[in-house]
Amino acid sequence: MRLTPDFFDGTQIEHSETQMPSLSEREQLQEFATHVTQIFSLEAEGIMSPNQAYSQIKSLITELKTRVIGN
């Protein structure tokens, strides 16, 4: 029994794993990453408390789920 996937055996790869997100989804993910990076920077500089950063990131995740997955 093989423990690692054989990437040349197409039967082991799920179709959903080969799908690229649509352009708008990728743009939304990039926007999300940018906002998270900004929040991390503000928290690291002491401008924002860890609790505020957590709350904002949690809000961004909820919004992202609604826009990308909820479509």
Side-chain angles (χ1 to χ4, degrees):
M1 182 174 164
R2 219 179 345 203
L3 296 178
T4 58
D6 181 357
F7 294 106
F8 298 106
D9 180 5
T11 61
Q12 293 183 354
I13 300 173
E14 292 289 325
H15 179 68
S16 62
E17 293 175 7
T18 62
Q19 297 293 317
M20 290 294 295
S22 68
L23 183 59
S24 65
E25 288 177 351
R26 279 188 268 157
E27 289 171 348
Q28 289 176 15
L29 290 171
Q30 288 174 339
E31 182 181 317
F32 170 79
T34 299
H35 284 128
V36 169
T37 302
Q38 291 170 345
I39 292 168
F40 282 156
S41 295
L42 292 171
E43 193 271 333
E45 293 172 10
I47 297 171
M48 182 181 291
S49 75
N51 288 339
Q52 289 172 319
Y54 173 82
S55 294
Q56 287 197 11
I57 291 171
K58 186 175 177 181
S59 175
L60 287 173
I61 290 170
T62 302
E63 180 183 335
L64 182 67
K65 283 181 182 179
T66 303
R67 288 190 298 166
V68 174
I69 298 172
N71 289 344

